[in-house]
Amino acid sequence: QVQLVESGGGLVQAGGSLRLSCAASGGIYSINYMGWYRQAPGNQRELVATISGDGGTNYAASVKGRFTISRDNAKNTVWLQMNSLKPEDTAVYYCNADVVVSRFLSSRTYWGQGTQVTVSS
């Protein structure tokens, strides 16, 4: 069973930095894209950043220039380096991955359990 486990959330002051990690495990054949989403109270879940298998990246306009997504394909791990954090970045951050478990099957999207990021003003 594929599992995504996030870590690295916490409380930080505005202007500070945090680094989130997400490790995928459990019968993985390959992973296409990996990404980070976030959901603040009362809001819908929104895209933060994605990274393809060959390293192509995509960022939400609100985080571009402040956040950096990266991955290690050998370790099935994705990171989100968050700098210059703002109170409006406060949310639960979720990792997701488009995983192939067998070369005979189509990919499927999996989600992590989420990690809280709180930025105080």
Side-chain angles (χ1 to χ4, degrees):
Q1 181 70 14
V2 175
Q3 288 187 318
L4 274 62
V5 179
E6 299 126 333
S7 61
L11 173 65
V12 65
Q13 288 188 330
S17 299
L18 283 174
R19 181 176 168 90
L20 306 182
S21 298
C22 172
S25 63
I28 295 170
Y29 178 77
S30 66
I31 300 178
N32 298 322
Y33 72 82
M34 302 185 80
W36 290 94
Y37 288 71
R38 67 187 181 187
Q39 187 168 18
N43 291 355
Q44 291 188 333
R45 191 172 297 188
E46 63 177 6
L47 169 74
V48 176
T50 61
I51 184 167
S52 65
D54 61 2
T57 58
N58 178 52
Y59 294 93
S62 59
V63 307
K64 196 172 293 185
R66 300 187 298 122
F67 291 8
T68 302
I69 189 170
S70 58
R71 67 186 280 178
D72 184 327
N73 291 335
K75 297 180 179 180
N76 293 328
T77 299
V78 63
W79 295 273
L80 185 69
Q81 178 66 45
M82 305 185 294
N83 298 330
S84 302
L85 282 161
K86 305 175 181 180
E88 52 262 43
D89 294 317
T90 295
V92 177
Y93 283 70
Y94 296 91
C95 166
N96 85 338
D98 187 53
V99 178
V100 178
V101 298
S102 165
R103 64 188 180 96
F104 301 109
L105 299 175
S106 299
S107 64
R108 177 190 156 185
T109 298
Y110 292 84
W111 291 87
Q113 80 284 357
T115 185
Q116 177 70 46
V117 171
T118 303
V119 185
S120 62
S121 57

